[in-house]
Amino acid sequence: MRRHDPEALHRFLWSNHLAYAATYEPKKKFEASSLNPTRQLLFRQIVDYYRSSGLNPQEQIRSVFEVGCSLGYLLRYLELYVLPAAAPLHGIDIDRYAVRTGMSYLQSVNSKVQLFDADVAKIGEATGNQQYDLVLSCGVLMYLNKKTAKATLQKMFALSRRLVGIICTAHQGDGGATLNSETRKSDGAYLHDMHSMIRESGHYIISSTFVDFAESGSSPSYVILAR
């Protein structure tokens, strides 16, 4: 499956909470200190962008939607430390176990975050296709083939009033440049030319930051803001 249909493999693993999905548990993920450096960078850049646009993110950013939310720990972090006025904070994920486990924890701490068990093909349906000030996708598009990733991007932009934040995988070295979508041999993850995908979809990139392995502690990545 990894060689012939990597997307099908990733969908199977995530939807059954297997392999890398099994490492996502509340005890680790909801600790603020465990937030990946690329996510920290994305949130800082989001705050800086809003402020440069004359907005107070702590008061004027009122809604967030996340594609591939897992347990909802990033939404919870935003709720506590970055965008306290935001409500709703919605997320979808194909991993039903993670969604149910995450919701159990979030309800126990009286969080405003709401998670929905849904595939990326049904982005927005669970929430009535409402629009959000901020739409996020962190480390998710790497599990989707080029066609699905492009369709997902289009739906994300359609749901966004102001800003889309993306973290995607990149090549090691050469500044992370990816000239075309290809699969990583080690695990079948997709390396997409995300910059071209965004531009071809009729939107524009505000900023793009390459983060190497030494800084991210995981795969080399791009941290992108677009609208």
Side-chain angles (χ1 to χ4, degrees), residues 19-76:
Y20 34 71
T23 65
Y24 286 65
E25 294 292 340
K27 187 175 181 180
K28 294 180 180 179
K29 289 296 185 178
F30 281 102
E31 295 177 358
S33 59
S34 68
L35 191 68
N36 185 281
T38 58
R39 278 60 172 172
Q40 295 176 24
L41 176 61
L42 176 64
F43 295 162
R44 288 197 302 271
Q45 291 186 350
I46 287 170
V47 168
D48 290 344
Y49 170 76
Y50 282 135
R51 287 176 175 165
S52 69
S53 302
L55 296 171
N56 182 342
Q58 292 192 318
E59 297 178 1
Q60 293 175 275
I61 305 308
R62 301 295 179 85
S63 54
V64 183
F65 183 80
E66 183 183 5
V67 177
C69 61
S70 183
L71 299 159
Y73 57 93
L74 292 183
L75 291 169
R76 176 61 172 167

Side-chain angles (χ1 to χ4, degrees), residues 149-166:
K150 289 182 73 173
T152 301
L153 268 180
Q154 287 282 31
K155 292 178 180 179
M156 288 172 59
F157 281 110
L159 294 177
S160 170
R161 288 194 196 96
R162 299 181 185 275
L163 189 64
V164 171
I166 300 166

Side-chain angles (χ1 to χ4, degrees), residues 62-76 78-79 83 86-93 99 103 106 111-118 123-137 156 159 161:
R62 301 295 179 85
S63 54
V64 183
F65 183 80
E66 183 183 5
V67 177
C69 61
S70 183
L71 299 159
Y73 57 93
L74 292 183
L75 291 169
R76 176 61 172 167
L78 289 171
E79 177 184 32
L83 307 173
L89 297 107
H90 288 159
I92 65 164
D93 202 284
V99 167
M103 277 305 303
L106 291 163
S111 172
K112 296 175 290 185
V113 174
Q114 291 182 284
L115 311 179
F116 303 89
D117 170 21
I123 287 178
E125 291 184 18
T127 58
N129 289 307
Q130 69 182 82
Q131 288 194 310
Y132 300 83
D133 291 336
L134 174 64
V135 176
L136 299 173
S137 179
M156 288 172 59
L159 294 177
R161 288 194 196 96

